[in-house]
Amino acid sequence: MTRICQLQIDRLRNIKHSKLEFSSTYNLIYGQNGSGKTALLEALYILGHGKSFRGDRVQSLIQHGQVDFVLYGEAQLDDEATYNIGVEKTPYRTKIKINGQRQHNASELASFFPIILVNPDSYDLLEEGPSIRRQFLDWGLFHVEHSFHKHWHTFNRCLKQRNAALKSGDPETICRSWDTLLIESSAQVTESRQHYLQELTPWFEKLLNFLEYPYQVQLKFVQGWSGDLDYGAALNQSFQRDCMLGHTSIGPQRADILLEVYSKEAAEILSRGQEKLLVTILRLAQGLLLKEKTGKHSIYLLDDLASELDHQRREQLYSLLDTFIQAQIFITATEQEFLPNKMTSESKLFHVEQGEITTLADNNNRFLDN
Ligand SMILES: Nc1ncnc2c1ncn2[C@@H]1O[C@H](COP(=O)(O)OP(=O)(O)OP(=O)(O)O)[C@@H](O)[C@H]1O
Ligand SMILES: [Mg+2]
């Protein structure tokens, strides 16, 4: 099963130096505001992505007064092989090594092990514009369907060229010289996305039911142009407008997912806690679908999962994790009592205080002196 077995963190945010061993099931982390819980999850995420989920500025990740940060982790993937991963960053240079081999592209890491992140920014999935929901779809497709990346890349390359021609007012034949490839790749991208959402829906509904979610939530795919026309015809129809705008106004670059409750936008109806449950369910469903389709286990980083949830909802959510997610899970909370109280065998408890991370207990609450 994919898991991060060990991690050493040096000079990342307020964590000066920490060396940790993790459980392959639950890793429960608590500590006060500002103690370094999210920083620890960030370190795990960077190990899997080469970059943070909190902006791209390396300078803000490096501990004040220091010049670099270093992460060194040991991961086991589904093939049971062990990988040593090193990430070293200064504002000017990134050095990534896997089993001692220098990687020249941070994206090498991204396909290494899938990470499902739920954090306070996950609300953006409901509240922000469509690009984040496209990313959500595409994340799933990158991991599930290998050919998707190729079509997606072709589409974006053609779109860029077409937009550049439109912007500089080139003749119609030049502007439209990309259309055949654009239409072809658009069909692939759109079909994959639509299919992905269809396959995600049963998992999504299963989890909603498990939590006795108070509403029926509809997931609807929006392809990015009027559904009555094929993309070629739609491009014809909008060509004059696109010339005036200086870019291609319709297509998969406008795709979206509508989340509806009683035919209204979910974000306008749901309470904060209901939103939190919904975005959590969407992310977890992605992990479950990935597992179903590829056998790959994701690693789950659940930051501040308890906040905004009442006691009953929290317990239901923990019971859902227990029932559906057989994977390595990291959960943070400000208080120990907000964490799942059932320590399963092999789970571990960590306390974070001013950047110091202490392993408090492993299975059966056996306290360690550390
Ligand atoms: N580059 C940096 N160098 C040193 N400290 C930093 C740096 N960047 C952030 N910090 C501090 O590191 C601490 C840990 O932040 P972190 O977000 O991990 O806290 P947290 O435990 O998740 O808190 P919360 O419960 O509020 O989410 C904070 O006090 C923050 O101000
Ligand atoms: Mg935090």
Side-chain angles (χ1 to χ4, degrees):
M1 195 172 80
T2 297
R3 64 195 178 105
I4 298 171
C5 314
Q6 291 185 14
L7 177 64
Q8 182 174 316
I9 306 170
D10 284 287
R11 302 177 295 281
L12 182 84
R13 300 229 188 246
N14 69 338
I15 305 174
K16 189 168 173 47
H17 172 77
S18 188
K19 201 171 170 186
L20 300 162
E21 281 184 24
F22 299 117
S23 157
S24 58
T25 59
Y26 284 95
N27 295 279
L28 308 175
I29 301 144
Y30 75 98
Q32 293 180 336
N33 294 138
S35 57
K37 304 178 299 295
T38 301
L40 169 57
L41 297 193
E42 253 182 321
L44 293 160
Y45 188 93
I46 295 168
L47 205 67
H49 281 78
K51 59 178 187 187
S52 169
F53 50 80
R54 284 200 281 192
D56 290 335
R57 281 200 60 209
V58 176
Q59 191 69 64
S60 47
L61 290 163
I62 298 170
Q63 188 152 73
H64 303 316
Q66 302 287 339
V67 293
D68 68 348
F69 74 81
V70 180
L71 304 173
Y72 182 76
E74 191 186 294
Q76 225 169 50
L77 301 199
D78 282 316
D79 60 6
E80 296 296 322
T82 301
Y83 295 83
N84 294 309
I85 306 168
V87 178
E88 205 182 305
K89 278 195 190 232
T90 75
Y92 316 104
R93 175 177 64 81
T94 297
K95 210 159 139 188
I96 294 174
K97 279 188 178 174
I98 300 177
N99 288 343
Q101 292 262 327
R102 181 86 189 262
Q103 309 294 311
H104 293 286
N105 198 336
S107 65
E108 296 287 331
L109 276 181
S111 57
F112 219 58
F113 46 83
I115 291 181
I116 304 268
L117 171 74
V118 179
N119 69 354
D121 289 343
S122 303
Y123 289 115
D124 293 353
L125 199 56
L126 294 180
E127 290 178 350
E128 293 295 311
S131 78
I132 192 145
R133 287 181 292 279
R134 280 195 298 277
Q135 275 169 29
F136 171 84
L137 282 176
D138 295 348
W139 180 94
L141 283 159
F142 278 120
H143 286 286
V144 169
E145 198 181 305
H146 285 298
S147 60
F148 179 75
H149 187 247
K150 193 181 83 200
H151 299 308
W152 185 88
H153 191 72
T154 307
F155 176 79
N156 279 297
R157 189 166 46 86
C158 295
L159 183 70
K160 230 173 161 172
Q161 304 276 14
R162 191 180 198 267
N163 284 345
L166 285 166
K167 195 169 178 191
S168 40
D170 287 349
E172 178 165 355
T173 45
I174 306 255
C175 293
R176 308 206 60 173
S177 57
W178 305 98
D179 283 14
T180 309
L181 212 48
L182 194 74
I183 292 163
E184 248 172 56
S185 53
S186 146
Q188 304 281 357
V189 167
T190 302
E191 195 191 309
S192 294
R193 283 172 170 171
Q194 191 158 21
H195 185 65
Y196 181 78
L197 199 62
Q198 259 168 19
E199 291 196 310
L200 189 73
T201 303
W203 280 113
F204 174 68
E205 287 176 350
K206 205 179 213 167
L207 299 185
L208 281 181
N209 281 338
F210 187 93
L211 289 185
E212 297 167 346
Y213 199 77
Y215 295 113
Q216 292 267 348
V217 184
Q218 308 281 336
L219 293 179
K220 289 187 184 159
F221 179 64
V222 177
Q223 62 181 359
W225 69 95
S226 160
D228 308 335
L229 296 175
D230 66 48
Y231 189 42
L235 279 176
N236 284 339
Q237 209 176 61
S238 73
F239 187 71
Q240 291 310 326
R241 202 165 85 107
D242 289 354
C243 287
M244 277 182 351
L245 292 169
H247 68 264
T248 311
S249 59
I250 53 161
Q253 75 280 18
R254 286 293 185 84
D256 197 0
I257 310 170
L258 285 183
L259 286 117
E260 288 186 348
V261 170
Y262 291 127
S263 307
K264 296 188 188 91
E265 214 177 301
E268 290 175 10
I269 307 284
L270 300 180
S271 76
R272 204 61 187 163
Q274 289 166 346
E275 281 194 348
K276 173 130 190 180
L277 285 175
L278 192 62
V279 295
T280 306
I281 284 174
L282 277 166
R283 296 272 180 214
L284 298 181
Q286 277 200 307
L288 289 167
L289 179 60
L290 179 62
K291 172 78 186 6
E292 178 189 59
K293 300 290 287 180
T294 65
K296 265 193 188 178
H297 290 84
S298 304
I299 292 172
Y300 293 77
L301 306 182
L302 311 177
D303 198 12
D304 218 359
L305 193 61
S307 65
E308 324 239 19
L309 299 181
D310 62 47
H311 178 76
Q312 191 190 343
R313 242 48 60 176
R314 203 156 67 221
E315 289 306 312
Q316 275 179 320
L317 187 54
Y318 289 153
S319 141
L320 178 145
L321 292 178
D322 244 6
T323 309
F324 290 96
I325 313 288
Q326 273 80 47
Q328 189 178 36
I329 304 179
F330 295 82
I331 307 177
T332 74
T334 49
E335 311 289 338
Q336 190 185 345
E337 69 206 65
F338 294 158
L339 292 166
N341 58 18
K342 183 163 66 65
M343 293 285 285
T344 59
S345 65
E346 284 189 59
S347 53
K348 280 196 166 189
L349 180 67
F350 300 88
H351 180 233
V352 191
E353 199 174 2
Q354 294 182 11
E356 297 277 341
I357 306 165
T358 316
T359 309
L360 281 186
D362 57 10
N363 53 327
N364 308 321
N365 277 347
R366 185 164 62 84
F367 282 81
L368 307 171
D369 50 47
N370 184 334

